[in-house]
Amino acid sequence: MTWDPMRDLRALQERLASHRTDSWAPPIDVYETPAAYVITVEVPGLARDQIDLAVEHTRLTIRGRRPARVTGGNESVRYHQVERGHGPFARTFEFAQTVNVEAVSADLAQGVLTVTLPKTPDAPARKIEVR
């Protein structure tokens, strides 16, 4: 994925605009191989049915929801430190090359979601004869 300062600025703007106590953003790594884009997302405690993926052409959106923290039932609970987010999250990624939507795969193992997006090969150049 090529560096795009506007994409980075939009991502920062999204994070700032959505900064609420009931939302969070899981740590994410994005890398590219010659054949595919790969995204790994740390989502410990989330089940497969709590994660939604949507992909089209050059864009992937990952959405999910971590249930609210469990409190002590009828007891009063006073947190001293809270670092584990809960509630909804959504992240969107735009890629430089079109991905093969039919071949996208997602695997959730040991709290890490791995999404592999195979690239669509570029169409070969074609010479057009002028008549």
Side-chain angles (χ1 to χ4, degrees):
M1 181 182 327
T2 57
W3 181 68
D4 178 0
M6 290 306 293
R7 180 186 63 233
D8 294 346
L9 182 58
R10 282 190 303 271
L12 176 61
Q13 198 172 23
E14 272 183 32
R15 284 195 305 268
L16 291 174
S18 67
H19 185 70
R20 303 180 322 236
T21 58
D22 64 342
S23 68
W24 61 291
I28 294 177
D29 290 338
V30 179
Y31 62 93
E32 176 180 3
T33 68
Y37 297 105
V38 181
I39 296 180
T40 57
V41 187
E42 291 183 15
V43 287
L46 265 66
R48 287 171 174 80
D49 62 350
Q50 294 171 305
I51 301 169
D52 292 315
L53 301 175
V55 64
E56 64 174 302
H57 304 295
T58 60
R59 180 178 295 164
L60 168 71
T61 300
I62 302 172
R63 286 187 174 86
R65 173 178 289 280
R66 181 179 284 156
R69 296 174 190 89
V70 177
T71 59
N74 292 335
E75 299 175 23
S76 174
V77 175
R78 187 170 142 216
Y79 286 95
H80 293 273
Q81 186 164 341
V82 176
E83 294 182 5
R84 297 176 48 227
H86 70 282
F89 73 89
R91 299 288 302 271
T92 299
F93 302 91
E94 188 83 30
F95 301 103
Q97 190 172 344
T98 304
V99 299
N100 181 349
V101 175
E102 300 301 320
V104 173
S105 65
D107 180 51
L108 180 62
Q110 298 180 347
V112 177
L113 172 68
T114 302
V115 183
T116 304
L117 303 109
K119 298 175 184 176
T120 301
D122 290 330
R126 173 179 98 129
K127 183 175 179 176
I128 300 171
E129 187 177 321
V130 178
R131 298 180 194 201

